[in-house]
Amino acid sequence: MIVAALVMLTLGGAGFLYRLAVGPNLSDRIISLDGLLTIVVTSMMVWSAFTGRATFLIVGVVVALVSFLGTSIFARFVEGKRR
């Protein structure tokens, strides 16, 4: 069951990578990067459940916080660019 979840997350990550590379504008790329980081955090949580180690949970929380801050900074940059 966990292997199936990791395969589905990999397929979702591939879709986000495609949108990151092809995205027609900057906002599409920012959203795809945020989605890709969400996939990474979710994969860490699934892997933590698979291995039974809490280390991946801690790393996942840190990556989620950095992802949130990065997305906020990018959004502020795009908003400032439009003014």
Side-chain angles (χ1 to χ4, degrees):
M1 191 68 156
I2 290 180
V3 174
L6 288 173
V7 168
M8 296 296 281
L9 287 168
T10 303
L11 291 174
F16 281 122
L17 275 175
Y18 174 76
R19 180 51 58 194
L20 184 65
V22 177
N25 54 23
L26 183 61
S27 61
D28 284 340
R29 290 190 170 120
I30 292 171
I31 291 169
S32 67
L33 183 62
D34 187 44
L36 187 62
L37 288 171
T38 302
I39 293 284
V40 168
V41 170
T42 307
S43 298
M44 285 180 172
M45 301 299 168
V46 170
W47 188 254
S48 177
F50 179 68
T51 60
R53 299 178 74 191
T55 307
F56 296 109
L57 289 175
I58 296 167
V59 173
V61 168
V62 170
V63 170
L65 289 172
V66 171
S67 169
F68 171 74
L69 289 174
T71 303
S72 300
I73 290 169
F74 279 135
R76 196 147 178 86
F77 172 72
V78 169
E79 184 67 25
K81 203 174 185 183
R82 291 183 182 165
R83 289 184 184 179

Coordinates of all heavy atoms in Angstrom, one line a residue:
M1 N 0.8 -1.2 0.0 CA 0.0 0.0 0.0 C 0.9 1.3 0.0 O 0.6 2.2 -0.7 CB -0.9 0.0 1.2 CG -2.0 1.0 1.2 SD -3.1 0.6 -0.1 CE -4.5 1.4 0.5
I2 N 1.9 1.2 0.8 CA 2.8 2.4 0.8 C 3.6 2.6 -0.5 O 3.8 3.7 -0.9 CB 3.8 2.3 2.1 CG1 2.9 2.5 3.3 CG2 4.9 3.3 2.0 CD1 3.7 2.4 4.6
V3 N 3.9 1.5 -1.1 CA 4.6 1.6 -2.4 C 3.7 2.2 -3.4 O 4.1 3.0 -4.2 CB 5.1 0.2 -2.8 CG1 5.7 0.2 -4.2 CG2 6.1 -0.4 -1.8
A4 N 2.4 1.8 -3.4 CA 1.4 2.4 -4.3 C 1.3 4.0 -4.1 O 1.2 4.7 -5.0 CB 0.1 1.8 -4.2
A5 N 1.3 4.4 -2.8 CA 1.3 5.8 -2.5 C 2.5 6.5 -3.0 O 2.4 7.6 -3.6 CB 1.2 6.0 -1.0
L6 N 3.7 5.9 -2.9 CA 4.9 6.5 -3.4 C 4.9 6.6 -4.9 O 5.4 7.6 -5.4 CB 6.1 5.8 -2.8 CG 6.4 5.9 -1.3 CD1 7.6 5.0 -0.9 CD2 6.8 7.4 -1.0
V7 N 4.4 5.6 -5.5 CA 4.3 5.6 -7.0 C 3.3 6.8 -7.4 O 3.7 7.5 -8.4 CB 3.8 4.3 -7.6 CG1 3.4 4.4 -9.0 CG2 4.9 3.2 -7.4
M8 N 2.2 6.9 -6.8 CA 1.3 8.0 -7.1 C 1.9 9.4 -6.9 O 1.7 10.3 -7.6 CB 0.0 7.8 -6.3 CG -0.8 6.6 -6.7 SD -1.4 6.6 -8.3 CE -2.8 7.6 -8.2
L9 N 2.6 9.5 -5.8 CA 3.3 10.8 -5.5 C 4.4 11.1 -6.5 O 4.6 12.2 -6.9 CB 3.9 10.7 -4.1 CG 2.9 10.8 -2.9 CD1 3.6 10.5 -1.6 CD2 2.3 12.2 -2.9
T10 N 5.1 10.0 -7.0 CA 6.1 10.2 -8.1 C 5.4 10.7 -9.3 O 5.9 11.6 -10.0 CB 6.8 8.9 -8.3 OG1 7.4 8.5 -7.1 CG2 7.9 9.1 -9.4
L11 N 4.3 10.1 -9.7 CA 3.5 10.6 -10.9 C 3.1 12.1 -10.7 O 3.2 12.9 -11.7 CB 2.3 9.7 -11.2 CG 2.7 8.3 -11.6 CD1 1.4 7.4 -11.7 CD2 3.4 8.3 -12.9
G12 N 2.6 12.4 -9.5 CA 2.2 13.8 -9.3 C 3.4 14.7 -9.4 O 3.3 15.8 -9.9
G13 N 4.5 14.3 -8.8 CA 5.7 15.1 -8.9 C 6.2 15.3 -10.3 O 6.7 16.4 -10.7
A14 N 6.0 14.3 -11.1 CA 6.4 14.4 -12.5 C 5.5 15.4 -13.2 O 6.0 16.2 -14.1 CB 6.3 13.1 -13.3
G15 N 4.3 15.5 -12.9 CA 3.4 16.5 -13.5 C 3.8 17.9 -13.1 O 3.8 18.8 -13.9
F16 N 4.1 18.0 -11.8 CA 4.6 19.4 -11.3 C 5.9 19.8 -11.9 O 6.1 20.9 -12.3 CB 4.7 19.4 -9.8 CG 3.4 19.5 -9.1 CD1 2.9 18.6 -8.2 CD2 2.6 20.6 -9.3 CE1 1.7 18.7 -7.5 CE2 1.4 20.8 -8.7 CZ 0.9 19.8 -7.8
L17 N 6.8 18.8 -12.1 CA 8.1 19.1 -12.8 C 7.8 19.6 -14.2 O 8.5 20.5 -14.7 CB 9.0 17.9 -12.8 CG 9.8 17.7 -11.5 CD1 10.6 16.4 -11.6 CD2 10.8 18.8 -11.3
Y18 N 6.9 18.9 -14.9 CA 6.6 19.3 -16.3 C 6.1 20.8 -16.3 O 6.5 21.6 -17.1 CB 5.5 18.4 -16.9 CG 5.0 18.8 -18.2 CD1 5.8 18.6 -19.4 CD2 3.8 19.4 -18.4 CE1 5.4 19.0 -20.6 CE2 3.3 19.8 -19.6 CZ 4.1 19.6 -20.7 OH 3.7 20.0 -22.0
R19 N 5.1 21.1 -15.4 CA 4.6 22.4 -15.4 C 5.7 23.4 -15.0 O 5.7 24.6 -15.4 CB 3.4 22.5 -14.4 CG 2.7 23.8 -14.3 CD 2.4 24.5 -15.6 NE 1.5 23.6 -16.4 CZ 1.2 23.9 -17.6 NH1 1.7 24.9 -18.3 NH2 0.4 23.1 -18.3
L20 N 6.6 23.0 -14.1 CA 7.7 23.9 -13.7 C 8.6 24.2 -14.9 O 9.0 25.4 -15.1 CB 8.5 23.3 -12.6 CG 9.6 24.1 -12.0 CD1 9.1 25.3 -11.3 CD2 10.5 23.2 -11.1
A21 N 8.8 23.3 -15.8 CA 9.7 23.5 -16.9 C 9.0 24.2 -18.1 O 9.5 25.0 -18.8 CB 10.2 22.1 -17.4
V22 N 7.7 23.9 -18.3 CA 7.0 24.4 -19.5 C 6.1 25.6 -19.1 O 5.7 26.4 -20.0 CB 6.1 23.3 -20.1 CG1 5.3 23.8 -21.2 CG2 7.0 22.1 -20.5
G23 N 5.8 25.8 -17.8 CA 4.9 26.9 -17.4 C 4.9 28.2 -18.2 O 6.0 28.7 -18.4
P24 N 3.8 28.6 -18.7 CA 3.8 29.8 -19.6 C 4.2 31.1 -18.9 O 4.8 32.0 -19.5 CB 2.4 29.9 -20.2 CG 1.6 29.1 -19.2 CD 2.5 28.1 -18.6
N25 N 4.0 31.2 -17.6 CA 4.4 32.4 -16.9 C 5.0 32.1 -15.5 O 5.0 31.0 -15.1 CB 3.2 33.4 -16.9 CG 2.0 32.8 -16.2 OD1 2.1 31.9 -15.5 ND2 0.9 33.4 -16.5
L26 N 5.4 33.2 -14.9 CA 6.1 33.0 -13.6 C 5.2 32.4 -12.5 O 5.6 31.6 -11.7 CB 6.7 34.3 -13.2 CG 7.5 34.3 -11.9 CD1 8.7 33.4 -12.0 CD2 8.0 35.7 -11.6
S27 N 3.9 32.9 -12.5 CA 3.0 32.4 -11.5 C 2.7 30.9 -11.6 O 2.6 30.2 -10.6 CB 1.7 33.2 -11.5 OG 1.1 33.1 -12.7
D28 N 2.6 30.4 -12.8 CA 2.5 29.0 -13.0 C 3.7 28.2 -12.4 O 3.5 27.1 -11.8 CB 2.3 28.6 -14.4 CG 0.9 28.9 -15.0 OD1 0.0 29.1 -14.1 OD2 0.8 29.1 -16.2
R29 N 4.8 28.7 -12.6 CA 6.1 28.1 -12.1 C 6.1 28.1 -10.6 O 6.6 27.2 -10.0 CB 7.3 28.7 -12.8 CG 7.4 28.4 -14.2 CD 8.7 28.8 -14.8 NE 8.8 28.3 -16.1 CZ 8.9 29.0 -17.2 NH1 9.0 30.3 -17.2 NH2 9.0 28.4 -18.4
I30 N 5.7 29.2 -10.0 CA 5.7 29.3 -8.6 C 4.7 28.3 -8.0 O 5.0 27.6 -7.0 CB 5.4 30.7 -8.1 CG1 6.5 31.7 -8.5 CG2 5.1 30.8 -6.6 CD1 6.2 33.1 -8.3
I31 N 3.5 28.2 -8.5 CA 2.5 27.3 -8.0 C 3.0 25.8 -8.2 O 2.9 25.0 -7.3 CB 1.2 27.5 -8.8 CG1 0.6 28.8 -8.3 CG2 0.2 26.3 -8.5 CD1 -0.6 29.3 -9.1
S32 N 3.7 25.5 -9.3 CA 4.2 24.2 -9.5 C 5.3 23.9 -8.6 O 5.4 22.7 -8.1 CB 4.6 24.0 -11.0 OG 5.7 24.7 -11.3
L33 N 6.2 24.8 -8.3 CA 7.2 24.6 -7.3 C 6.6 24.3 -5.9 O 7.1 23.5 -5.2 CB 8.2 25.8 -7.3 CG 9.4 25.7 -6.4 CD1 10.3 24.5 -6.8 CD2 10.2 27.0 -6.3
D34 N 5.6 25.1 -5.6 CA 4.9 24.8 -4.3 C 4.3 23.5 -4.2 O 4.4 22.7 -3.2 CB 3.9 25.9 -4.0 CG 3.3 25.8 -2.6 OD1 4.1 25.7 -1.7 OD2 2.1 26.0 -2.5
G35 N 3.7 23.1 -5.3 CA 3.1 21.7 -5.4 C 4.2 20.6 -5.3 O 4.0 19.6 -4.7
L36 N 5.3 20.9 -6.0 CA 6.4 19.9 -5.9 C 6.9 19.7 -4.5 O 7.2 18.6 -4.1 CB 7.5 20.3 -6.9 CG 8.6 19.3 -7.1 CD1 8.1 18.0 -7.7 CD2 9.6 19.9 -8.1
L37 N 7.1 20.9 -3.8 CA 7.6 20.8 -2.5 C 6.5 20.1 -1.5 O 6.9 19.4 -0.6 CB 7.9 22.2 -1.9 CG 9.2 22.7 -2.6 CD1 9.4 24.2 -2.2 CD2 10.4 21.9 -2.1
T38 N 5.3 20.3 -1.8 CA 4.2 19.6 -1.1 C 4.3 18.1 -1.3 O 4.2 17.3 -0.4 CB 2.8 20.1 -1.5 OG1 2.8 21.5 -1.2 CG2 1.8 19.4 -0.7
I39 N 4.6 17.7 -2.5 CA 4.8 16.3 -2.9 C 6.0 15.7 -2.1 O 6.0 14.6 -1.6 CB 5.0 16.1 -4.4 CG1 3.7 16.4 -5.1 CG2 5.5 14.7 -4.7 CD1 2.6 15.4 -5.0
V40 N 7.1 16.5 -2.0 CA 8.3 16.1 -1.3 C 8.0 15.9 0.2 O 8.4 14.9 0.8 CB 9.4 17.1 -1.5 CG1 10.6 16.8 -0.5 CG2 9.9 17.1 -2.9
V41 N 7.3 16.8 0.8 CA 6.9 16.7 2.2 C 6.0 15.5 2.4 O 6.2 14.7 3.4 CB 6.3 18.0 2.7 CG1 5.7 17.8 4.1 CG2 7.3 19.1 2.7
T42 N 5.1 15.3 1.6 CA 4.2 14.1 1.7 C 4.9 12.8 1.5 O 4.7 11.9 2.3 CB 3.0 14.2 0.6 OG1 2.4 15.5 0.8 CG2 2.0 13.1 0.9
S43 N 5.9 12.8 0.6 CA 6.7 11.6 0.4 C 7.5 11.3 1.6 O 7.7 10.1 2.0 CB 7.6 11.7 -0.8 OG 6.8 11.9 -2.0
M44 N 8.0 12.4 2.3 CA 8.8 12.1 3.5 C 7.9 11.6 4.6 O 8.3 10.7 5.4 CB 9.4 13.5 4.0 CG 10.6 13.9 3.2 SD 11.1 15.5 3.9 CE 12.6 15.7 3.0
M45 N 6.7 12.0 4.7 CA 5.7 11.5 5.7 C 5.4 10.0 5.4 O 5.4 9.2 6.4 CB 4.5 12.3 5.7 CG 4.7 13.8 6.0 SD 5.4 14.0 7.6 CE 5.8 15.7 7.6
V46 N 5.2 9.7 4.2 CA 4.9 8.3 3.8 C 6.1 7.4 4.1 O 6.0 6.3 4.6 CB 4.4 8.2 2.3 CG1 4.4 6.8 1.9 CG2 3.1 8.9 2.1
W47 N 7.3 7.9 3.8 CA 8.5 7.1 4.0 C 8.7 7.0 5.5 O 9.2 5.9 5.9 CB 9.7 7.8 3.3 CG 10.9 7.0 3.4 CD1 12.0 7.1 4.2 CD2 11.2 5.8 2.6 NE1 12.9 6.1 3.9 CE2 12.4 5.3 3.0 CE3 10.4 5.1 1.6 CZ2 13.0 4.1 2.4 CZ3 11.0 4.0 1.1 CH2 12.2 3.5 1.5
S48 N 8.4 8.0 6.3 CA 8.5 7.9 7.7 C 7.6 6.8 8.3 O 8.0 6.1 9.2 CB 8.2 9.2 8.4 OG 8.3 9.1 9.8
A49 N 6.4 6.8 7.7 CA 5.4 5.7 8.2 C 5.9 4.3 7.7 O 5.8 3.3 8.5 CB 4.1 6.0 7.6
F50 N 6.6 4.2 6.6 CA 7.1 3.0 6.1 C 8.3 2.5 6.9 O 8.3 1.3 7.3 CB 7.5 3.1 4.6 CG 8.1 1.9 4.0 CD1 7.3 0.8 3.8 CD2 9.4 1.8 3.7 CE1 7.8 -0.4 3.2 CE2 9.9 0.7 3.1 CZ 9.1 -0.4 2.9
T51 N 9.2 3.4 7.3 CA 10.4 2.9 8.0 C 10.2 3.0 9.5 O 10.9 2.3 10.3 CB 11.6 3.8 7.7 OG1 11.3 5.2 8.1 CG2 12.0 3.7 6.2
G52 N 9.2 3.7 10.0 CA 8.9 3.8 11.5 C 9.9 4.8 12.2 O 10.0 4.7 13.4
R53 N 10.6 5.6 11.4 CA 11.5 6.5 12.0 C 11.0 8.0 12.0 O 10.4 8.4 11.0 CB 12.8 6.5 11.2 CG 13.5 5.2 11.2 CD 14.7 5.1 10.4 NE 15.8 5.8 11.2 CZ 16.9 6.1 10.7 NH1 17.2 5.9 9.4 NH2 17.9 6.7 11.4
A54 N 11.1 8.6 13.2 CA 10.5 10.0 13.3 C 11.4 11.0 12.7 O 11.0 12.2 12.6 CB 10.3 10.3 14.8
T55 N 12.6 10.7 12.3 CA 13.5 11.7 11.8 C 13.0 12.3 10.5 O 13.1 13.5 10.3 CB 14.9 11.0 11.5 OG1 15.4 10.4 12.6 CG2 15.9 12.0 11.0
F56 N 12.3 11.5 9.7 CA 11.8 12.0 8.4 C 10.6 13.0 8.7 O 10.4 13.9 7.9 CB 11.3 10.9 7.5 CG 12.4 10.0 7.1 CD1 12.6 8.7 7.5 CD2 13.4 10.5 6.2 CE1 13.6 7.9 7.1 CE2 14.4 9.7 5.7 CZ 14.6 8.4 6.2
L57 N 9.9 12.8 9.8 CA 8.8 13.7 10.2 C 9.3 15.1 10.5 O 8.8 16.1 10.1 CB 8.0 13.1 11.4 CG 7.1 11.9 11.1 CD1 6.5 11.4 12.4 CD2 6.1 12.2 10.1
I58 N 10.4 15.1 11.3 CA 11.0 16.4 11.6 C 11.6 17.1 10.4 O 11.3 18.3 10.2 CB 12.2 16.1 12.7 CG1 11.6 15.6 13.9 CG2 12.9 17.4 12.9 CD1 12.6 15.0 14.9
V59 N 12.2 16.4 9.5 CA 12.8 17.0 8.3 C 11.6 17.4 7.4 O 11.7 18.5 6.8 CB 13.7 16.0 7.5 CG1 14.1 16.5 6.2 CG2 14.9 15.7 8.4
G60 N 10.5 16.7 7.4 CA 9.3 17.1 6.6 C 8.7 18.4 7.1 O 8.3 19.2 6.3
V61 N 8.7 18.5 8.4 CA 8.1 19.8 8.9 C 9.0 21.0 8.6 O 8.5 22.0 8.2 CB 7.9 19.6 10.5 CG1 7.6 21.0 11.1 CG2 6.8 18.6 10.8
V62 N 10.3 20.8 8.7 CA 11.2 21.8 8.3 C 11.1 22.2 6.9 O 11.1 23.4 6.5 CB 12.7 21.5 8.7 CG1 13.7 22.4 8.2 CG2 12.8 21.3 10.2
V63 N 11.0 21.2 6.0 CA 10.9 21.5 4.6 C 9.6 22.2 4.3 O 9.5 23.1 3.5 CB 11.0 20.2 3.7 CG1 10.7 20.4 2.3 CG2 12.4 19.6 3.8
A64 N 8.5 21.8 5.0 CA 7.2 22.5 4.8 C 7.3 23.9 5.2 O 6.7 24.8 4.5 CB 6.1 21.7 5.6
L65 N 8.0 24.2 6.3 CA 8.1 25.6 6.7 C 8.9 26.4 5.8 O 8.5 27.6 5.4 CB 8.7 25.7 8.1 CG 7.8 25.2 9.3 CD1 8.6 25.2 10.6 CD2 6.6 26.1 9.4
V66 N 10.0 25.9 5.3 CA 10.8 26.6 4.3 C 10.1 26.8 3.0 O 10.1 27.8 2.3 CB 12.2 25.8 4.1 CG1 12.9 26.4 2.9 CG2 13.0 25.9 5.3
S67 N 9.3 25.8 2.6 CA 8.5 25.9 1.4 C 7.4 27.0 1.5 O 7.2 27.8 0.6 CB 7.8 24.5 1.2 OG 6.8 24.7 0.2
F68 N 6.8 27.1 2.7 CA 5.8 28.1 2.9 C 6.5 29.5 2.8 O 5.9 30.4 2.2 CB 5.1 27.9 4.3 CG 4.3 29.1 4.7 CD1 3.0 29.3 4.0 CD2 4.7 30.0 5.6 CE1 2.2 30.4 4.4 CE2 3.9 31.1 6.0 CZ 2.6 31.2 5.4
L69 N 7.6 29.7 3.5 CA 8.3 31.0 3.4 C 8.7 31.3 2.0 O 8.6 32.4 1.6 CB 9.5 30.9 4.4 CG 9.2 30.9 5.9 CD1 10.4 30.8 6.7 CD2 8.4 32.2 6.2
G70 N 9.3 30.3 1.3 CA 9.7 30.6 -0.1 C 8.5 30.9 -1.0 O 8.7 31.9 -1.8
T71 N 7.4 30.3 -0.9 CA 6.2 30.6 -1.7 C 5.7 32.0 -1.3 O 5.4 32.8 -2.2 CB 5.1 29.6 -1.4 OG1 5.6 28.3 -1.8 CG2 3.9 29.9 -2.3
S72 N 5.8 32.4 -0.1 CA 5.3 33.7 0.3 C 6.3 34.8 -0.2 O 5.8 35.8 -0.7 CB 5.3 33.8 1.9 OG 4.4 32.9 2.4
I73 N 7.6 34.5 -0.2 CA 8.5 35.5 -0.8 C 8.3 35.6 -2.3 O 8.3 36.7 -2.8 CB 10.0 35.1 -0.4 CG1 10.2 35.2 1.1 CG2 11.0 35.8 -1.2 CD1 11.4 34.6 1.6
F74 N 8.1 34.5 -3.0 CA 7.9 34.5 -4.4 C 6.6 35.3 -4.7 O 6.6 36.1 -5.7 CB 7.8 33.2 -5.0 CG 9.2 32.5 -5.3 CD1 9.4 31.2 -5.0 CD2 10.2 33.2 -5.9 CE1 10.6 30.6 -5.2 CE2 11.4 32.7 -6.2 CZ 11.6 31.4 -5.8
A75 N 5.6 35.1 -4.0 CA 4.3 35.8 -4.2 C 4.5 37.3 -4.0 O 3.9 38.1 -4.8 CB 3.2 35.2 -3.3
R76 N 5.2 37.6 -3.0 CA 5.5 39.1 -2.7 C 6.3 39.7 -3.9 O 6.0 40.8 -4.3 CB 6.2 39.2 -1.4 CG 6.2 40.6 -0.9 CD 6.2 40.4 0.7 NE 6.3 41.6 1.4 CZ 5.2 42.3 1.7 NH1 4.0 42.0 1.3 NH2 5.3 43.4 2.5
F77 N 7.2 38.9 -4.4 CA 8.0 39.4 -5.5 C 7.2 39.6 -6.8 O 7.3 40.6 -7.4 CB 9.1 38.4 -5.8 CG 9.9 38.6 -7.1 CD1 10.8 39.7 -7.2 CD2 9.7 37.8 -8.2 CE1 11.5 39.9 -8.3 CE2 10.4 38.1 -9.4 CZ 11.3 39.1 -9.4
V78 N 6.3 38.6 -7.1 CA 5.4 38.8 -8.2 C 4.4 39.9 -8.0 O 4.2 40.7 -9.0 CB 4.6 37.4 -8.5 CG1 3.6 37.6 -9.5 CG2 5.6 36.4 -8.9
E79 N 3.9 40.1 -6.8 CA 3.0 41.2 -6.6 C 3.7 42.5 -6.7 O 3.1 43.5 -7.3 CB 2.4 41.1 -5.1 CG 1.4 42.1 -4.8 CD 0.1 41.9 -5.6 OE1 -0.2 40.8 -6.0 OE2 -0.6 42.9 -5.7
G80 N 4.9 42.6 -6.2 CA 5.7 43.9 -6.4 C 6.0 44.2 -7.8 O 6.2 45.3 -8.2
K81 N 6.2 43.1 -8.6 CA 6.5 43.3 -10.0 C 5.3 43.9 -10.8 O 5.6 44.6 -11.8 CB 6.9 41.9 -10.6 CG 7.8 41.9 -11.8 CD 8.2 40.5 -12.1 CE 9.1 40.5 -13.3 NZ 9.5 39.2 -13.6
R82 N 4.1 43.6 -10.4 CA 2.9 44.1 -11.1 C 2.6 45.6 -10.8 O 1.9 46.2 -11.5 CB 1.7 43.3 -10.7 CG 1.8 41.9 -11.3 CD 0.6 41.1 -11.0 NE 0.7 39.7 -11.5 CZ -0.1 38.8 -11.1 NH1 -1.0 39.0 -10.3 NH2 0.1 37.6 -11.6
R83 N 3.2 46.1 -9.7 CA 2.8 47.5 -9.4 C 3.6 48.5 -10.2 O 4.5 48.5 -10.8 CB 3.1 47.7 -7.9 CG 2.1 47.0 -7.0 CD 2.4 47.3 -5.6 NE 1.4 46.5 -4.8 CZ 1.4 46.6 -3.5 NH1 2.2 47.3 -2.8 NH2 0.6 45.8 -2.8

